[in-house]
């Protein structure tokens, strides 16, 4: 089994801004974890994911049961090291190619 890169995002509570579903309303943050293989392709993808995060493309705010909360955005992330594509995990031979085309 390969080793993994494990980016961890900690999003705090804050207020939404213009362009979010309910500007000025507080939203709930959370901890988000992703997995990438620790190889040349995984490291290249990590750099692209970091740029996407810095440009505010990784997360979005959504309403869930009347509460605003941070959720994953449109960029696919592997949130499990196993379970296959159906569970956002590995094995998924196409993931790095797919995420790089989105990025």
């Amino acid at each position: 089994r390969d080793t993994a890169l494990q980016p961890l995002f900690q999003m705090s509570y804050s207020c939404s801004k213009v362009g979010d579903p309910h500007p000025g309303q507080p939203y709930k943050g959370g901890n988000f974890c992703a997995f990438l293989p620790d190889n040349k392709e995984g490291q290249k993808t990590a750099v692209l994911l970091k740029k996407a995060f810095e440009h505010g493309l990784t997360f979005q705010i959504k309403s869930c049961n009347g509460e605003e909360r941070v959720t994953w955005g449109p960029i696919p992330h592997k949130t499990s090291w196993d379970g296959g594509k159906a569970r956002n995990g590995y094995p998924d031979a196409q993931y790095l190619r797919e995420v790089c085309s989105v990025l």
Side-chain angles (χ1 to χ4, degrees), residues 26-74:
Y27 63 82
K28 186 176 182 177
N31 295 324
F32 298 85
C33 182
F35 296 89
L36 292 166
D38 189 7
N39 58 29
K40 188 175 180 176
E41 285 183 78
Q43 292 168 9
K44 175 185 164 191
T45 303
V47 170
L48 295 174
L49 288 171
K50 181 178 185 227
K51 287 180 183 179
F53 177 78
E54 290 169 347
H55 285 89
L57 303 172
T58 305
F59 297 98
Q60 58 192 1
I61 299 173
K62 285 190 175 179
S63 293
C64 182
N65 298 326
E67 179 180 64
E68 303 296 308
R69 63 177 43 236
V70 176
T71 63
W72 289 108

